[in-house]
Amino acid sequence: MRASERRAAIERELRLTGKVNVAELARAMATSPISIRRDLNTLVERGVARRIHGGAIAVGQRQPTPPTPRPRPVRRPGAEGTPTTIGLLVPSARYYYAGVLDGVKAAAAQTRVRVVLAVSGYSQAEERSQIQRLVQRGVDAIVATPAQVARDDAATYDLLRDLPLPVVLMERDGGDEYALLDSVRSDHAYGARMAFGRLAGAGHRAVMLVCAEDTATSAWLHAGFEARRELFDPARTERMAIPSAPEYAPELRTRIDEVLDRCAELGVTGAVVHPDVAAILMAQRARERGIDIPRELEIIAYDDEVAALADPPLDAIAPPKHEVGRLALRLAIERARTSPTGALPRHIALPPSLVLRGMGLRDESGAGHETGAIL
């Protein structure tokens, strides 16, 4: 759907109901919340709408009373010798989250708190059950990474928002609807802007974003890609989705071949690929076609879990996983021990780093460094 068509549909909805919600519009129109917010800003400039928390109302409608911070009881564990206990909910303890958990463990060791780990296995029902179990166990705060983003799983975010104890979202952002929840996450949109800025600085004009579908990271990567699209030839710049599947899955290999076919059609010479196991597979399949990596196709992997092990090693965007885990736990401890009732939420977005491993981009120490990136 074109932007003009979206705005016309939003304007019709405003005339009919008087109010629209960003998350609901994004879901209904299969687009990103940032695109909807841009549409609403355009309608505001035209005098059609007025922005409110989480969406907009038609001009002439009364603006609802904004939500107030939900009071939480003051909890000061440790005052009577009771150790602080933090509940930690993650969808997995492997791959990406292994680095995050390392940061949590480091912070726990420094602060001498107890962490109780719960793993949901990407099951929404299981994670809600685990949240209830942590509360019943008597933890003093919860650090949570829901399996889905807020717009796809309001029930879990509602549960977290309404708990009678501090909650810190980790590697998630509650958006407008859950802005009262603290959050610590990687700024993946910035990471994507950095990657495509690097490709533009290296002279690429035909590029592609290859992104695993239906992941919490994908919407941010799409936003970063769109913010840099103007640097490239619009007729030869695209984004393509790939299955969120193991690297050995036949459907992923088939889709990677389709991506390479499309790259050949468009003359693409640079790509950002998420996750980096898919980037390695794409590099392998490209070499089988006789494509020189990186001279004919420069690939930047996103996540940097195993990109250094590719042949040749791939440049990568490395999210600050360790620091995200460390800061999320420290914030949860601070909230549990000292936060006053109605404290303002804190939203922390940490920038990833660009790791360059090309032979021509190494200094005398052998360490990669950033060069030619448009940030």
Side-chain angles (χ1 to χ4, degrees):
M1 182 182 292
R2 296 177 180 176
S4 59
E5 296 172 337
R6 287 199 312 268
R7 289 193 288 269
I10 294 170
E11 188 172 350
R12 286 195 298 272
E13 184 69 16
L14 283 168
R15 286 199 302 268
L16 288 171
T17 66
K19 180 182 177 182
V20 293
N21 176 273
V22 169
E24 292 174 358
L25 288 173
R27 184 163 51 249
M29 297 182 179
T31 189
S32 66
I34 192 170
S35 296
I36 297 298
R37 293 189 185 100
R38 288 172 181 163
D39 294 336
L40 292 179
N41 290 339
T42 299
L43 294 178
V44 168
E45 292 173 0
R46 287 167 45 189
V48 173
R50 183 166 72 240
R51 291 301 302 273
I52 62 170
H53 175 78
I57 59 174
V59 168
Q61 294 287 326
R62 184 179 177 182
Q63 183 171 351
T65 303
T68 56
R70 176 174 51 82
R72 282 177 170 151
V74 177
R75 304 170 64 91
R76 288 185 170 82
E80 300 177 359
T82 303
T84 303
T85 302
I86 307 296
L88 175 64
L89 173 70
V90 292
S92 170
R94 302 172 55 195
Y95 189 57
Y96 186 98
Y97 290 100
V100 176
L101 292 176
D102 284 343
V104 171
K105 289 187 288 186
Q110 292 170 352
T111 53
R112 291 184 293 182
V113 302
R114 174 170 169 73
V115 176
V116 179
L117 176 65
V119 180
S120 71
Y122 290 93
S123 165
Q124 297 173 33
E126 177 65 19
E127 69 189 4
R128 289 193 283 271
S129 174
Q130 293 285 7
I131 290 167
Q132 297 286 14
R133 184 182 67 81
L134 291 171
V135 173
Q136 293 169 3
R137 190 197 179 285
V139 298
D140 301 299
I142 289 179
V143 175
T145 305
Q148 301 294 327
V149 295
R151 73 176 185 181
D152 295 330
D153 184 18
T156 296
Y157 287 80
D158 286 344
L159 174 60
L160 291 169
R161 180 191 57 196
D162 295 335
L163 290 179
L165 72 164
V167 173
V168 177
L169 296 176
M170 181 172 70
E171 285 296 24
R172 297 291 185 267
D173 184 341
D176 291 346
E177 298 303 310
Y178 303 95
L180 297 180
L181 291 173
D182 292 309
S183 63
V184 180
R185 66 174 181 85
S186 302
D187 191 344
H188 296 300
Y190 175 82
R193 295 197 304 272
M194 187 188 305
F196 284 103
R198 152 65 195 167
L199 292 177
H204 297 279
R205 291 298 172 262
V207 299
M208 183 174 288
L209 170 63
V210 182
C211 187
E213 59 190 355
D214 300 327
T215 69
T217 306
S218 59
W220 285 315
L221 296 184
H222 291 167
F225 169 71
E226 292 299 330
R228 289 290 178 261
R229 186 188 278 269
E230 64 184 15
L231 299 175
F232 307 102
D233 181 350
R236 299 191 298 147
T237 296
E238 283 189 7
R239 63 188 189 190
M240 292 186 69
I242 57 176
S244 300
E247 61 276 13
Y248 52 80
E251 63 268 26
L252 177 60
R253 291 176 172 264
T254 298
R255 184 58 173 166
I256 289 294
D257 286 339
E258 293 172 353
V259 168
L260 289 170
D261 289 342
R262 186 59 176 159
C263 286
E265 292 173 10
L266 297 175
V268 166
T269 59
V272 177
V273 184
H274 170 260
D276 57 350
V277 290
I280 290 178
L281 176 60
M282 184 168 165
Q284 291 173 345
R285 304 293 277 188
R287 284 200 306 273
E288 291 170 6
R289 296 180 177 216
I291 299 171
D292 188 301
I293 305 293
R295 290 181 178 84
E296 294 178 293
L297 179 61
E298 182 174 353
I299 296 176
I300 299 180
Y302 200 99
D303 273 356
D304 200 28
E305 292 294 325
V306 290
L309 303 180
D311 182 24
L314 297 177
D315 297 344
I317 296 293
K321 297 181 282 289
H322 186 280
E323 189 67 0
V324 165
R326 189 186 74 82
L327 284 182
L329 188 69
R330 293 298 293 258
L331 180 54
I333 295 168
E334 176 187 333
R335 292 306 199 197
R337 290 177 174 174
T338 65
S339 285
T341 300
L344 291 175
R346 292 165 64 181
H347 301 154
I348 302 172
L350 303 174
S353 57
L354 172 61
V355 182
L356 298 179
R357 298 188 171 98
M359 293 302 293
L361 296 169
R362 294 183 179 276
D363 56 27
E364 293 181 356
S365 68
H369 59 91
E370 298 180 20
T371 263
I374 299 175
L375 306 179

